[in-house]
Amino acid sequence: STFSPLGLLFVTVSNVSFSMRSLLTKHLHSDYKGDALNVFYHVSRVGLIYLLFLNASRDALGILVDEKWQVTYYLGSFDSNAARVFLVNGFCYFLYNQMSFFVLSKVEMVTHAVANAFRRVVTIVFSVWYFGNEINTVNACGIVLAISGVLLYSKAKSS
């Protein structure tokens, strides 16, 4: 893999979004009294309302612009195996988000961000091992840097 400015932009937006989500979650804990599951329920409920609105808007605009071929194409190519994969993926992502909210309710934001960075390293190392992907020198340096950051944070936190 090679470096690209667009990739850097996406990673930066992802990291900033993750931090903002953590900050918002901590703020929501004070608004919605109760445990992490209660906050997760309210955030998921609001997110569902937004997604339903966005999808309805997209579909309405598609019909107004007369792009029925897209709707027909997507409905005509329904695959039950793909639907099962989407359901399992959605359920696993739901569990990931729920556990993320739970962990965030128990630790500080910085600890949560460091754990997320380490989770990404574990995901990369697992994909290299499982799929046999090759890593170049820049990738290896990034992995070592991330692991070093986690170790240094753990050492600083303990002292």
Side-chain angles (χ1 to χ4, degrees), residues 34 113 131:
F131 296 112

Side-chain angles (χ1 to χ4, degrees), residues 126-133:
F126 181 79
S127 72
V128 166
W129 171 76
Y130 187 78
F131 296 112
N133 296 337

Side-chain angles (χ1 to χ4, degrees), residues 24-113:
L24 180 63
T25 301
K26 286 290 189 180
H27 180 70
L28 289 174
H29 273 288
S30 63
D31 290 349
Y32 296 105
K33 302 298 182 211
D35 57 356
L37 186 60
N38 189 31
V39 174
F40 182 69
Y41 165 75
H42 288 293
V43 169
S44 297
R45 185 176 50 111
V46 171
L48 177 64
I49 292 168
Y50 281 132
L51 283 176
L52 289 175
F53 174 75
L54 287 173
N55 280 326
S57 301
R58 185 187 59 85
D59 288 346
L61 290 174
I63 291 170
L64 290 175
V65 179
D66 197 24
E67 292 181 300
K68 288 186 177 181
W69 62 271
Q70 282 185 336
V71 176
T72 307
Y73 173 76
Y74 289 129
L75 292 177
S77 65
F78 179 76
D79 181 14
S80 63
N81 289 332
R84 271 188 243 127
V85 169
F86 283 131
L87 285 174
V88 169
N89 181 43
F91 181 71
C92 289
Y93 190 68
F94 166 80
L95 289 178
Y96 159 73
N97 274 326
Q98 189 174 15
M99 290 301 110
S100 181
F101 269 76
F102 178 74
V103 169
L104 187 57
S105 71
K106 302 293 182 192
V107 299
E108 296 177 18
M109 278 179 35
V110 175
T111 304
H112 191 252

Side-chain angles (χ1 to χ4, degrees), residues 5-19:
L6 185 62
L8 178 64
L9 175 69
F10 284 144
V11 167
T12 303
V13 168
S14 173
N15 285 332
V16 168
S17 298
F18 184 84
S19 299

